[in-house]
Amino acid sequence: MGKGTNYVAKVPDENGYIHYTDEEHQVWHELITRQKKVLPGRACAEYIAALDRLDLPENRVPQCEDVSRVLRAHTGWEVAPVPALINFTDFFNLLASKRFPAASFIRRRDEMEYLQEPDIFHEIFGHTPLLTDPRFAAFTHAYGKAGAAARKEDRPMLARLYWFTVEFGLIHRPDEGLRTYGAGVVSSSGETTYALESPEPQRKPFDPLDVLRTPYRIDIYQPIYFVIESFDTLFEVAQMDLLGLIEQARKMGMHPPAFPPKEAATA
């Protein structure tokens, strides 16, 4: 959901098959095997179980239809290959129809450690496993429907709810301690350890109004993470009047940014 991209989308052929090069398959292999070593003891039990259900290949980039077949069996969702970046309207409409938009390209080697744009590894490895969980899937569906019905001026605020849960959410339970479930964390080896182990970021109890009032930047490790106690929390949020919450948050006023302003690009 942005304005520019450094990548060209892979276009499916007439049979819906996306052709990747040997180098792209190798990049996938290195990303997934590395991340699978990082996540035990850091990703929550629900994510680990969901990743096992998805049974993603390690030696090649998975096809969207292969992932969709598993999602349909569990929650009725499927994956829709899209260009690298899509607008808010398309994004919300896809989620509202239980179709998760997945950018079809995979990152280059010079961006293995950090990628500002979502690629197929982030989308499939990070996002789709938890769409097999009915509570998480219900939250994502409700979010999409709220976004599709929202006014244009409300959508950036609604994006905060997605950012601090689906993308960068943490979870804490007595039996596990602090764990991650957000796609932006579980798909990043650097942010996985930073989000859970660094003394630098704030880790705040999840409150939807607080989340809606909190600004974020997409090009840095997050200075603030919100922590849920259970996926039941997200299911409960899915039943709320999300657009009504936006109005409440707006009346309460926005929090000041917890990060410095982004430096302007120089010529």
Side-chain angles (χ1 to χ4, degrees):
M1 293 183 295
K3 296 182 178 179
T5 176
N6 294 318
Y7 289 89
V8 177
K10 293 276 187 176
V11 180
D13 65 18
E14 64 275 10
N15 297 313
Y17 188 88
I18 299 176
H19 296 267
Y20 293 96
T21 66
D22 290 344
E23 168 66 6
E24 289 167 331
H25 288 309
Q26 181 62 26
V27 167
W28 171 273
H29 169 74
E30 292 177 21
L31 288 169
I32 193 171
T33 53
R34 178 179 68 177
Q35 206 58 15
K36 280 187 172 181
K37 294 176 182 177
V38 172
L39 293 184
R42 295 187 174 100
C44 67
E46 288 91 343
Y47 175 84
I48 296 297
L51 189 62
D52 288 343
R53 281 195 292 272
L54 216 53
D55 193 24
L56 296 171
E58 293 187 357
N59 63 338
R60 61 176 176 83
V61 182
Q63 293 295 314
C64 290
E65 177 54 30
D66 295 338
V67 178
S68 293
R69 193 175 300 113
V70 180
L71 297 185
R72 290 190 202 104
H74 288 278
T75 58
W77 277 74
E78 59 184 42
V79 179
V82 298
L85 296 167
I86 60 175
N87 60 44
F88 271 127
T89 298
D90 291 341
F91 178 73
F92 287 126
N93 285 339
L94 283 167
L95 295 185
S97 60
K98 294 188 177 182
R99 301 178 69 212
F100 188 82
S104 57
F105 72 91
I106 194 163
R107 69 194 70 182
R108 298 185 301 266
R109 286 194 172 276
D110 61 330
E111 294 192 297
M112 289 282 279
E113 299 302 323
Y114 176 78
L115 184 70
Q116 184 170 318
E117 304 173 49
D119 70 343
I120 191 77
F121 179 74
H122 169 82
E123 308 282 42
I124 298 299
F125 184 87
H127 279 286
T128 62
L130 282 176
L131 288 174
T132 64
D133 184 292
R135 297 164 298 173
F136 192 88
F139 171 73
T140 308
H141 187 214
Y143 176 85
K145 290 192 292 184
R151 299 175 302 176
K152 184 177 181 180
E153 59 267 31
D154 289 337
R155 288 177 170 180
M157 286 187 66
L158 196 57
R160 295 174 180 176
L161 181 60
Y162 193 86
W163 187 260
F164 288 113
T165 55
V166 176
E167 288 288 2
F168 289 96
L170 303 182
I171 185 170
H172 182 277
R173 280 194 302 262
D175 60 332
E176 285 192 317
L178 189 66
R179 295 287 187 269
T180 182
Y181 68 90
V185 184
V186 298
S187 64
S188 166
S189 58
E191 193 139 7
T192 296
T193 53
Y194 172 84
L196 298 172
E197 299 163 18
S198 171
E200 294 183 20
Q202 298 180 57
R203 300 173 184 92
K204 304 176 67 175
F206 176 82
D207 176 86
L209 284 173
D210 196 14
V211 167
L212 290 170
R213 299 170 63 204
T214 302
Y216 64 86
R217 266 180 59 179
I218 67 171
D219 59 336
I220 57 174
Y221 283 172
Q222 299 305 299
I224 296 174
Y225 297 93
F226 286 91
V227 184
I228 61 173
E229 298 296 325
S230 165
F231 277 10
D232 292 337
T233 301
L234 295 184
F235 185 77
E236 291 165 5
V237 172
Q239 316 309 312
M240 295 179 181
D241 176 8
L242 297 182
L243 301 184
L245 287 176
I246 288 176
E247 289 303 314
Q248 286 183 253
R250 185 173 282 116
K251 290 176 182 177
M252 295 170 73
M254 300 300 106
H255 293 310
F259 47 80
K262 187 174 181 179
E263 294 182 5
T266 58

